[in-house]
Amino acid sequence: MSQQIDAQWLLMTLEDAAESLNAAIERLSNNPRSALGVMEHEIPELYAKLNYAVNTAESGPADLDTADHDALIAWPESMPFWPGDATEEEEIDEGSEGEE
């Protein structure tokens, strides 16, 4: 990120993500048997909201009508641990398959 961050927008989007996290925690606290549902529904929603916060931090609401929705909620390429990067250990494991 090289541009200025829209701090107010970032705060608003992070507060939205925090509400989703709090809802997931409350659901799980009230019903531990809902763990699978939380993992399948609330956690992906939380990641989407966090990704959205990062992806729109510089532009603020300006991208809402013009940017692709999937791009706005995708994992930010500038963030560490980007899913597109295989770790060295994963590359070693993949290379050794079938060699036994």
Side-chain angles (χ1 to χ4, degrees):
M1 292 187 186
S2 58
Q3 296 180 352
Q4 182 132 348
I5 302 296
D6 183 335
Q8 185 61 34
W9 177 257
L10 181 59
L11 177 62
M12 288 173 38
T13 55
L14 289 176
E15 287 172 341
D16 185 40
E19 288 175 17
S20 293
L21 176 59
N22 288 332
I25 291 169
E26 184 175 337
R27 179 176 177 199
L28 191 55
S29 294
N30 292 336
N31 182 5
R33 297 176 79 179
S34 69
L36 181 59
V38 168
M39 288 293 296
E40 291 177 344
H41 302 286
E42 280 79 6
I43 299 300
E45 177 184 325
L46 175 61
Y47 272 105
K49 288 183 176 190
L50 289 170
N51 294 345
Y52 179 80
V54 172
N55 289 330
T56 61
E58 292 176 0
S59 63
D63 281 345
L64 295 180
D65 295 328
T66 58
D68 177 57
H69 175 72
D70 290 339
L72 291 176
I73 64 170
W75 186 268
E77 291 184 23
S78 64
M79 297 302 289
F81 311 113
W82 185 60
D85 293 336
T87 64
E88 185 176 323
E89 184 176 318
E90 288 173 340
E91 291 173 1
I92 293 169
D93 288 345
E94 289 174 7
S96 64
E97 288 179 12
E99 292 181 8
E100 295 178 28

